[in-house]
Amino acid sequence: MNRKGILVIVSGFSGVGKGTLVKRLTQKYDQYALSISATTRNPREGEEDGREYFFRTREEFGRLIREDRLVEYACYCGNYYGTPRDYVEAQMEQGRDIILEIELQGALKIKEQYPDALLLFVMPPDAQTLLTRLRGRGTETEEEIRTRIHRAVEESEGVEQYDYMVVNDDLERAVDEVHGLVEAQHRKISRHLDFISQIRQEVKAYAKGE
Ligand code: 5GP
């Protein structure tokens, strides 16, 4: 049976808690590999190069684009973010499900290149919870927060292009829901056509020989 890795895109408004959600998902189930993006934004307190992101200058990021080393990239609130190609391809070959925690434009570019990708959008239980979380984490200036809220409004217009929505009200529940959706994607008929055809042939051969 086909157990080829699935590309799982996890998007959501800034402050919705998608970082915590994907971290927990990878801790709880070992079939996942979390892609680490390259970005030109500055590290937040506590972030490390090569752990949360590969922090790069604009010049270095430009080189990654020219050398075709990113599967996709996008500009988000004045900074560039992109998914490294090498890692994604290597993990897919090994049959692992790869989590890409990326924004809308990148998600749509991935869907064009990999139509089997699963696009999930994480929603807050309500708008107020989102604003409280975004302000409460204290990692952005007031101006950055405003830019991110405007970006959330833009992204909200694209949610219909995703496959499923997960509400992040209770972390463990949301993690299990994401895992359930990935497992359902693994069982799609279109992913098992060879296996189905093999069983069909075997049953037919048996029926003939009866
Ligand atoms: P943050 O600055 O809060 O870490 O990330 C800002 C936004 O960029 C988030 O929506 C995050 O999902 C997105 N992002 C992170 N890495 C990538 C990437 O490689 N590609 C794209 N398109 N978006 C990314």
Side-chain angles (χ1 to χ4, degrees):
M1 243 190 339
N2 170 21
R3 185 74 197 189
K4 235 175 70 193
I6 291 175
L7 270 178
V8 185
I9 313 286
V10 178
S11 301
F13 309 134
S14 189
V16 78
K18 53 192 185 305
T20 312
L21 195 155
V22 299
K23 209 189 247 174
R24 180 73 189 122
L25 180 72
T26 54
Q27 282 169 350
K28 195 162 179 180
Y29 302 99
D30 60 14
Q31 74 201 50
Y32 297 104
L34 182 58
S35 164
I36 302 171
S37 299
T39 183
T40 61
R41 93 149 156 70
N42 291 325
R44 290 180 190 141
E45 214 179 297
E47 285 184 337
E48 262 178 41
D49 185 40
R51 193 178 66 191
E52 281 79 14
Y53 283 106
F54 296 108
F55 295 99
R56 296 292 178 259
T57 62
R58 284 195 169 232
E59 199 182 25
E60 287 165 341
F61 199 93
R63 201 175 314 131
L64 292 175
I65 297 172
R66 283 195 303 281
E67 292 173 359
D68 196 29
R69 288 170 58 196
L70 301 176
V71 192
E72 62 72 36
Y73 67 93
C75 190
Y76 177 97
C77 298
N79 286 304
Y80 286 91
Y81 296 80
T83 306
R85 185 181 297 285
D86 286 2
Y87 182 81
V88 168
E89 290 180 352
Q91 294 295 328
M92 269 185 33
E93 266 171 37
Q94 289 176 30
R96 302 195 69 195
D97 296 327
I98 306 153
I99 310 287
L100 304 181
E101 192 224 300
I102 65 176
E103 52 67 72
L104 172 69
Q105 301 167 53
L108 299 180
K109 285 186 217 155
I110 293 283
K111 187 78 185 176
E112 272 172 28
Q113 294 175 61
Y114 302 93
D116 277 357
L118 180 64
L119 269 59
L120 309 180
F121 202 93
V122 184
M123 277 287 184
D126 52 70
Q128 191 53 50
T129 307
L130 181 78
L131 301 177
T132 311
R133 279 190 195 155
L134 190 51
R135 292 224 150 79
R137 71 182 182 189
T139 47
E140 281 89 16
T141 64
E142 190 52 37
E143 198 192 328
E144 282 165 346
I145 290 173
R146 269 201 298 273
T147 314
R148 281 172 177 249
I149 293 171
H150 280 284
R151 180 61 182 230
V153 174
E154 283 169 23
E155 287 205 316
S156 71
E157 299 292 337
V159 179
E160 284 85 349
Q161 307 195 60
Y162 282 72
D163 297 314
Y164 297 98
M165 174 197 88
V166 173
V167 177
N168 189 16
D169 45 5
D170 175 86
L171 180 64
E172 291 304 317
R173 196 202 53 74
V175 163
D176 290 340
E177 203 167 290
V178 168
H179 180 65
L181 290 167
V182 175
E183 285 301 293
Q185 185 82 347
H186 272 291
R187 284 160 191 73
K188 280 209 122 172
I189 292 285
S190 56
R191 294 177 62 82
H192 300 286
L193 296 178
D194 289 348
F195 178 74
I196 293 166
S197 143
Q198 182 200 329
I199 299 279
R200 187 182 289 139
Q201 293 306 323
E202 286 171 13
V203 175
K204 272 187 190 164
Y206 182 81
K208 260 192 205 157
E210 240 183 7

